Amino acid sequence: MKKNFKLFKIGIFLALILGFALGQDAYGAAVSWTGAGGDNLWSTDANWSDGTTPDATDDATIGAGISVVLDENGTVLSLTLGAGATLTDDGNTWALQVYNNIDLSAAGASLTDTGTLNLTSGFATGAQTPVITVASTSTLAVDAFVIDAAAANASTVTLDGNMLVSSLAIDAAGTFNAVNGDADTLTVLGNITMSAATATVGLVTPPSLVIGDATLATSTTSTMTTAADADMAWADVTLYNAAVSLVAAVADDDMTIKDDLTLAGASTITDGGNDVRLVMDGAATQTITVSDDSYLGLSDLFIDGAATVVTTADDLTIEELDLNNGAFTQTTGTTYITAAPVYTAGTCTFNNLSVNTGVGNITWPLPMTITGDFTVFGGSNLLVDQVLTTIDNSTAKEFVFSGGTITFDDLTLAADSRITTNSSFSLGDGTGTGTFTISSGASFNAGTGTITADLTAANYTLTNSGGVDTCLTIANLATTGGGNTLTTATDLVV
């Protein structure tokens, strides 16, 4: 219940608005918890130092060791909890609206609410810059976390510490950043929604993101939705038993990761054909880790700038792999690709590579290394064009090709490689010279497959760079085109 002199406080609030409009600094009134009302309820006016519950003009403080129960929708300008102080709801989903800072920097402070924590820029003019400060021993856990601001009065929220929310919504011109980068973590147990083009996460200093909870027996389902041109960047991203669906308003909208991506437990990331582009552009080596029971399926993995991405994925499905001076290395599992890679410049190293040409012909534009099996299927053609493809592993690996024509312009077997196949493929793309090189200790057995050299435009060479300890076995060797020469090292062909 509000007292009559609340009208006086409304006048103060209007004066604050006027102060912002005039470009002047404006501060709220300091209000603290006294408990004089005889209970621990937020709504009891007498529990507060000015005899009335706080509102949007008040910097509210709950002192050390005090426990307060939120039993109505609350509104404050800012909120501070002392050491060991707690603010929790009464079991109902009350909303707490804060216009500026939330300070839980004192040890053991705790704010938990099953309702909505709304950080809203509520003044007529002037941007708000709330800072949420949470000590390592303190707790901030709410249901819905909303950053809401009109375009004319953007709200920039900065996290200093860790917080747990059931969902995150950033509307209009709201922005969310971190003070300490990957040391500040937002844990989300539900959806993330950015509903406007001007909404941003992490453009200044990205926080880390955790979806799901390693301590929960149940799984988490999350949809990450971005409006057209909204920007989302995180430091580390970790999933615990979480199923995440990426949804973009337009094709090739980005979600950027500056550090590592980890899928733990039984987790998934998919985009349901929404063509969301996952961008890895950290300044140092980044790692994608996918557990045995997890699945990572992307329309577009984009490795930008100096980023080097090392993936320990059990399996990784990518429709399109983009490299812009970056590097991609897979140490275990299989990479499944269904569209032509896009290289500005960069290098690729795969463990096992499986290419599906079912959607159309694929040309592979720049060098790659394969250390395991190489499988191509789908019915259309694959041209590994003007590149050096190296199969490098002392354990016997396989070429398995079905449907369409598989063509290598240059193919090199690194030292001690052992390749077997019963699949047919072509050497040379018919536009220039090419080589099939066998390095020291390497062996290749074509089995029942037919190897066809295209001599339309130039010579093609089968060469031995490793001496007598190499072995090339081709039962069916053919040529196509004419006027040029297939050169072979006689000690290699049996």
Side-chain angles (χ1 to χ4, degrees):
M1 301 291 293
K2 301 294 182 183
K3 295 186 176 181
N4 291 335
F5 67 89
K6 195 71 173 181
L7 294 173
F8 174 70
K9 296 186 71 178
I10 293 174
I12 295 177
F13 184 43
L14 294 174
L16 288 174
I17 294 176
L18 181 60
F20 274 95
L22 295 175
Q24 299 171 344
D25 292 333
Y27 302 94
V31 176
S32 60
W33 179 274
T34 65
D39 58 34
N40 63 349
L41 301 180
W42 178 283
S43 65
T44 302
D45 291 342
N47 282 331
W48 298 96
S49 59
D50 67 348
T52 184
T53 54
D55 64 16
T57 67
D58 293 325
D59 293 315
T61 299
I62 299 173
I66 297 172
S67 295
V68 176
V69 174
L70 186 67
D71 62 328
E72 66 176 3
N73 293 330
T75 301
V76 294
L77 181 60
S78 70
L79 178 65
T80 301
L81 272 62
T86 65
L87 175 61
T88 188
D89 61 68
D90 62 0
N92 295 303
T93 54
W94 302 113
L96 180 62
Q97 183 161 311
V98 183
Y99 291 98
N100 216 310
N101 298 338
I102 298 176
D103 187 351
L104 277 68
S105 60
S110 176
L111 192 167
T112 59
D113 184 10
T114 57
T116 299
L117 175 62
N118 193 324
L119 272 73
T120 304
S121 180
F123 297 104
T125 61
Q128 300 299 290
T129 57
V131 177
I132 301 173
T133 306
V134 186
S136 60
T137 57
S138 296
T139 301
L140 176 53
V142 298
D143 186 39
F145 178 37
V146 178
I147 301 172
D148 187 11
N153 49 323
S155 182
T156 299
V157 178
T158 305
L159 177 63
D160 185 0
N162 302 325
M163 66 183 295
L164 170 69
V165 303
S166 293
S167 64
L168 169 66
I170 303 178
D171 302 325
T175 67
F176 184 55
N177 290 295
V179 171
N180 305 298
D182 59 4
D184 301 322
T185 300
L186 176 69
T187 298
V188 181
L189 301 180
N191 297 335
I192 297 175
T193 305
M194 302 175 67
S195 60
T198 49
T200 65
V201 170
L203 288 193
V204 178
T205 306
S208 289
L209 172 67
V210 173
I211 301 180
D213 189 333
T215 65
L216 295 178
T218 57
S219 60
T220 297
T221 300
S222 175
T223 299
M224 300 177 66
T225 305
T226 59
D229 298 324
D231 292 305
M232 183 187 299
W234 304 97
D236 290 305
V237 176
T238 304
L239 276 62
Y240 292 109
N241 296 317
V244 176
S245 177
L246 306 178
V247 179
V250 296
D252 296 328
D253 257 10
D254 296 345
M255 183 178 82
T256 299
I257 298 177
K258 297 290 186 179
D259 293 316
D260 299 333
L261 171 62
T262 303
L263 277 66
S267 297
T268 61
I269 296 180
T270 59
D271 69 2
N274 286 284
D275 291 330
V276 179
R277 188 170 67 168
L278 182 64
V279 178
M280 308 290 283
D281 73 343
T285 298
Q286 297 174 262
T287 301
I288 299 175
T289 303
V290 182
S291 68
D292 288 345
D293 295 324
S294 295
Y295 171 78
L296 178 58
L298 303 170
S299 287
D300 191 346
L301 175 61
F302 183 75
I303 302 173
D304 194 20
T308 298
V309 175
V310 177
T311 172
T312 58
D314 179 55
D315 288 316
L316 175 64
T317 300
I318 307 170
E319 182 177 327
E320 183 177 295
L321 176 62
D322 289 359
L323 293 178
N324 180 24
N325 295 306
F328 175 86
T329 300
Q330 184 190 28
T331 58
T332 62
T334 301
T335 300
Y336 297 89
I337 290 182
T338 60
V342 178
Y343 289 27
T344 301
T347 61
C348 276
T349 300
F350 299 99
N351 181 45
N352 300 320
L353 176 62
S354 180
V355 179
N356 183 355
T357 62
V359 296
N361 296 337
I362 293 177
T363 296
W364 203 284
L366 282 178
M368 66 172 171
T369 298
I370 304 175
T371 61
D373 298 330
F374 185 24
T375 304
V376 182
F377 65 99
S380 296
N381 301 333
L382 171 66
L383 170 61
V384 185
D385 187 24
Q386 298 179 1
V387 303
L388 179 66
T389 303
T390 305
I391 314 297
D392 183 6
N393 197 297
S394 58
T395 304
K397 301 299 179 181
E398 287 189 291
F399 284 174
V400 181
F401 306 145
S402 61
T405 299
I406 314 304
T407 302
F408 296 96
D409 197 28
D410 292 294
L411 175 61
T412 295
L413 304 188
D416 299 321
S417 298
R418 287 190 287 153
I419 305 300
T420 63
T421 187
N422 287 306
S423 301
S424 299
F425 61 88
S426 297
L427 299 172
D429 63 0
T431 63
T433 59
T435 58
F436 184 176
T437 302
I438 310 295
S439 302
S440 175
S443 67
F444 181 87
N445 190 331
T448 60
T450 298
I451 311 301
T452 302
D454 190 333
L455 307 177
T456 301
N459 299 334
Y460 199 91
T461 303
L462 303 180
T463 184
N464 171 11
S465 67
V468 296
D469 58 346
T470 60
C471 180
L472 175 62
T473 303
I474 302 177
N476 303 303
L477 180 62
T479 62
T480 187
N484 294 289
T485 303
L486 173 64
T487 302
T488 64
T490 55
D491 57 332
L492 294 180
V493 180
V494 179

